[in-house]
Amino acid sequence: MSTSIADRRPATLRMALGAFLVFWLVLAAFPFLWTLWGSFKVEGDFFSRADWMNAIFGTLTVAETGAPFTGDGYYGAWVQEEFWRAGLNTVIVTVSVVVISLTFGTLGGYALSRSPYRYAFWLLILALVFRAMPPITLVSGYLLPFFEWNLWGHLPTTIIVLVAINQPFTLWMLTSFFRNIPKDLDESAMVDGCSRFQAFRHVIIPVMWPGVITTGLFSFLLAYNDFAVTSMLLSRENLTMVPKIESFLGTTQTRGNVMFAVASVVSVTAPLFILVMFFQRQIVSGLTAGAVKG
């Protein structure tokens, strides 16, 4: 009976690899776990200079609140400072960016992958050049018309810019996925009476659904984690979550603001873990879809 490669490895090597993986997992997860733990402490404990053990046992937290843990940071951020508004703005921006980017990306990527003309290649090269430019240089070009047309500070302007920045990436990703799907599928569907769009909608999209989810997730992360664009184009009343956290850190002299920022960091990071865990199979399928030529 044949044994797997893992079973043929020496026991000491397997133990060493296991220990290394555990160490690497702890090392990678420690910053978030430490921040999560500290978000339920008071500032004097989490940032204690006298004894770092205070962050573990919550000496001052017990003295001030009567318990080793407190939710004051979350209450202050979400209720007192209305972080929920930033969360709502983030949902609006990210959902809009993902939907618009995927709509134009799937249609454009399909057209470019099936185009017999040379201009399709140069359009992709132009998109790559545009994507390689620092986003901050692109934002500066939008500022003048936004100010003149009184559009600065609103969510739609930020959505427009983020879509413009993200669209070249979605075009490249989705075009590569479409090229790995045999053209015979399109032709067979059209022979059976489908139009080009019907073949695209009913035959091609279901086949490359993992690629769409993978591209959509990266588009989501770009809009969700963006700081440069959102901080420059949004007014203080319309901030998304990431620049809102920076506003807490910019006023550290106000009591509680640092812990508001810590609680907000946990609030922003936790949904990303849930999202990746929920879509992990689709992400792996999408990232490996181009490994085998259809």
Side-chain angles (χ1 to χ4, degrees):
M1 180 181 295
S2 61
T3 58
S4 64
I5 296 177
D7 293 335
R8 292 199 299 266
R9 292 172 179 165
T12 54
L13 179 59
R14 293 200 301 269
M15 292 178 59
L17 290 175
F20 175 76
L21 290 176
V22 171
F23 171 76
W24 184 259
L25 179 62
V26 172
L27 189 66
F30 176 77
F32 175 74
L33 296 177
W34 181 254
T35 305
L36 175 63
W37 179 272
S39 65
F40 294 100
K41 306 294 182 182
V42 298
E43 182 177 341
D45 278 335
F46 191 49
F47 295 96
S48 176
R49 295 183 179 180
D51 187 357
W52 66 272
M53 295 293 288
N54 289 343
I56 298 179
F57 297 108
T59 306
L60 294 178
T61 305
V62 174
E64 293 183 17
T65 66
F69 300 99
T70 177
D72 290 347
Y74 291 94
Y75 178 85
W78 283 92
V79 180
Q80 179 181 327
E81 298 297 327
E82 297 185 335
F83 193 69
W84 64 269
R85 293 184 183 274
L88 179 60
N89 291 336
T90 301
V91 171
I92 294 173
V93 170
T94 52
V95 171
S96 300
V97 170
V98 170
V99 170
I100 297 173
S101 296
L102 288 183
T103 300
F104 288 102
T106 51
L107 293 173
Y110 178 71
L112 291 173
S113 67
R114 297 300 189 258
S115 174
Y117 301 107
R118 185 68 175 173
Y119 72 83
F121 169 78
W122 293 110
L123 281 177
L124 288 173
I125 294 297
L126 181 62
L128 182 63
V129 172
F130 188 79
R131 184 66 182 89
M133 296 174 63
I136 198 68
T137 62
L138 302 176
V139 174
S140 60
Y142 288 101
L143 289 179
L144 181 59
F146 284 166
F147 276 120
E148 290 185 350
W149 298 338
N150 197 28
L151 297 176
W152 180 87
H154 304 293
L155 294 180
T157 59
T158 302
I159 293 171
I160 292 172
V161 176
L162 287 176
V163 169
I165 293 173
N166 185 55
Q167 201 64 72
F169 169 78
T170 58
L171 276 176
W172 265 93
M173 286 281 291
L174 292 170
T175 299
S176 65
F177 284 126
F178 280 123
R179 284 177 174 171
N180 287 322
I181 298 177
K183 295 182 180 180
D184 295 343
L185 291 178
D186 311 53
E187 297 170 356
S188 299
M190 288 187 287
V191 166
D192 291 337
C194 291
S195 64
R196 173 70 72 173
F197 181 75
Q198 288 174 332
F200 165 76
R201 177 184 175 186
H202 297 293
V203 178
I204 303 301
I205 287 296
V207 172
M208 67 160 297
W209 192 243
V212 174
I213 293 179
T214 303
T215 307
L217 179 62
F218 282 112
S219 299
F220 171 86
L221 293 176
L222 178 139
Y224 190 84
N225 295 325
D226 180 81
F227 173 77
V229 175
T230 52
S231 62
M232 288 188 65
L233 295 182
L234 291 177
S235 62
R236 191 173 184 84
E237 296 77 21
N238 289 329
L239 290 177
T240 52
M241 290 194 291
V242 173
K244 183 68 175 179
I245 295 174
E246 189 274 337
S247 70
F248 291 147
L249 297 176
T251 54
T252 56
Q253 298 302 318
T254 304
R255 178 177 174 82
N257 268 10
V258 174
M259 295 314 297
F260 297 166
V262 174
S264 300
V265 167
V266 175
S267 302
V268 169
T269 308
L272 298 180
F273 280 97
I274 298 173
L275 185 71
V276 173
M277 293 299 295
F278 185 78
F279 287 110
Q280 59 177 325
R281 291 187 178 179
Q282 289 83 357
I283 295 171
V284 173
S285 299
L287 291 177
T288 58
V292 179
K293 184 68 175 177

